[in-house]
Each structure stands twice: as structure tokens, then as C-alpha cells.
Amino acid sequence: MLLVVTYTREARRDLRNVCRAHEGSVVRHFGRAALLSATEFGAFQALRLREKHGLDVQLERVRPFEPEDAPARVRAAARAYEAREADSTPYRQFAAGRDLPTAEQLRGETL
């Protein structure tokens, strides 16, 4: 997918117009940003916006995040944390004394 992020009112307006006119190429629209399909037409629309608005439009290629992309210990920690008894328990407190990575360990590791 292609992520298009706009930084000015004019660029947002044009992104909105592209999304309305070419719904088939839009995966998701978020107001200031949109995900366009990774097709040549999606790239064409993204590049049109960049040509017109320059650096007021940021373009990135993204790929979906699948659970299998995360290490098993991270998946296990998320599963255990969401199965906790008290919803108000912060992760730091929940992970203490368990065989789970700390929040600091998770923050320090790149996927």
C-alpha cells in the first residue's frame, strides 16, 4: 500500500478529492492521510499530489502488519495482557513477576 500524508489545507483538499473520485484505489482515508492501493494507478494519484504540492505531501510505501511479523514473546505478552482480570492494570504492573518482557524491553527492540 501507499501512504499519502498531507501537511497543508490545500493538499488535504486535493487528497480528499482524489479519494472521492477514485474510491477503487483507496484502501482507507484518514483525513490528513490515506492508504492507496499499491497499483500503478495508486502511485499515479500519489505522485500527482506530490507534484502539485511538493513537500506538503509525504509518500511512503507500507505493508500490512501481520501478527506473525512480531516475535512469539511479543504475541504471548499481548495475549496474556488482554486476558488479564482487571482492565485497569497497567502493563508494567501486570508483567512484573511474570515471564513476560518489560515495557522497556519492548520499547528497545526493533521489529
Side-chain angles (χ1 to χ4, degrees):
M1 290 182 282
L2 305 173
L3 174 65
V4 180
V5 181
T6 58
Y7 295 102
T8 64
R9 179 174 289 150
E10 295 79 17
R12 283 192 302 274
R13 179 199 63 226
D14 288 346
L15 176 62
R16 185 175 52 249
N17 291 341
V18 164
C19 290
R20 286 180 182 161
H22 307 289
E23 289 179 2
S25 293
V26 179
V27 175
R28 190 89 191 256
H29 185 220
F30 304 101
R32 294 178 180 263
L35 287 171
L36 303 180
S37 61
T39 63
E40 288 184 354
F41 191 72
F44 170 75
Q45 296 301 330
L47 291 171
R48 278 184 52 218
L49 290 166
R50 180 66 179 258
E51 283 296 319
K52 184 172 185 178
H53 298 284
L55 295 177
D56 290 336
V57 174
Q58 177 183 344
L59 305 176
E60 298 287 336
R61 183 184 299 221
V62 297
R63 63 184 178 95
F65 175 75
E66 299 294 334
E68 297 77 28
D69 294 338
R73 71 188 191 105
V74 175
R75 294 192 311 266
R79 193 171 25 258
Y81 184 59
E82 284 307 309
R84 69 193 182 279
E85 290 180 21
D87 287 344
S88 62
T89 305
Y91 182 75
R92 181 182 308 158
Q93 183 179 344
F94 178 79
R98 289 187 169 88
D99 189 24
L100 296 172
T102 66
E104 291 74 28
Q105 290 171 326
L106 294 171
R107 284 187 191 99
E109 295 296 325
T110 304
L111 280 180

